[in-house]
Amino acid sequence: MGRGAVEFVAVEFPGTSLGTGFPPALRAQVERGVIRIVDLLIVVKDPDGSVRSMELSELDDDAEYRAFDEVVHAIDGLISPEDVADVAAALRPGTTALLVLFEHSWMRELRDAVAQRGGRIVFSERIPAEVVDAVVEAATAAA
């Protein structure tokens, strides 16, 4: 059995904290088997615009990030310096971002079933919730 689809997501938070709700919510998805975290990186864009990035291993003393220790099946280095630069360019100054590369574990079984029948997945696209909400809102307003 191979991997399911892998997705790269960057989530921005104001200030230097992810808050208390996000780490447990992400961890719950891992524990349910919905996703498998392959790599994770923290990027901070200081108010002056300077950027720094850190692996979890560099934050051993930070309790906020310890919630990820047991759920990251780290293959450090898959999130490239170019990925960090691209995301950092989109971040607002004074924010912290969590860059997560994760596998859609639930897709493995579907992919395997398709492959057993001689098929293959030829297209997959993630559509942000905001886009779907806007389309539904526009359709509702036009009706």
Side-chain angles (χ1 to χ4, degrees):
M1 183 189 293
R3 290 192 193 281
V6 176
E7 185 168 346
F8 177 62
V9 175
V11 184
E12 177 190 73
F13 297 91
T16 59
S17 174
L18 304 180
T20 58
F22 182 74
L26 185 61
R27 183 183 180 102
Q29 296 307 307
V30 172
E31 290 172 349
R32 287 186 193 121
V34 176
I35 63 171
R36 179 177 169 268
I37 298 174
V38 178
D39 199 1
L40 185 141
L41 195 69
I42 296 92
V43 176
V44 177
K45 189 167 190 176
D46 293 321
D48 67 4
S50 61
V51 175
R52 49 199 160 95
S53 63
M54 297 147 284
E55 296 280 352
L56 277 180
S57 59
E58 298 174 64
L59 300 167
D60 290 337
D61 296 338
D62 196 323
E64 180 177 26
Y65 296 105
R66 274 193 230 128
F68 296 117
D69 281 347
E70 292 130 23
V71 297
V72 176
H73 302 281
I75 305 174
D76 290 340
L78 289 179
I79 299 174
S80 72
E82 292 81 14
D83 295 328
V84 172
D86 289 346
V87 170
L91 295 178
R92 294 172 293 176
T95 59
T96 298
L98 187 67
L99 282 56
V100 185
L101 186 66
F102 63 89
E103 173 190 8
H104 289 279
S105 304
W106 59 271
M107 281 192 72
R108 277 190 233 140
E109 186 176 335
L110 294 174
R111 190 217 45 239
D112 290 346
V114 169
Q116 286 176 359
R117 180 67 182 93
R120 66 188 179 104
I121 298 172
V122 294
F123 182 77
S124 176
E125 181 177 2
R126 181 180 147 296
I127 302 171
E130 296 82 12
V131 172
V132 175
D133 291 345
V135 170
V136 169
E137 185 177 310
T140 303

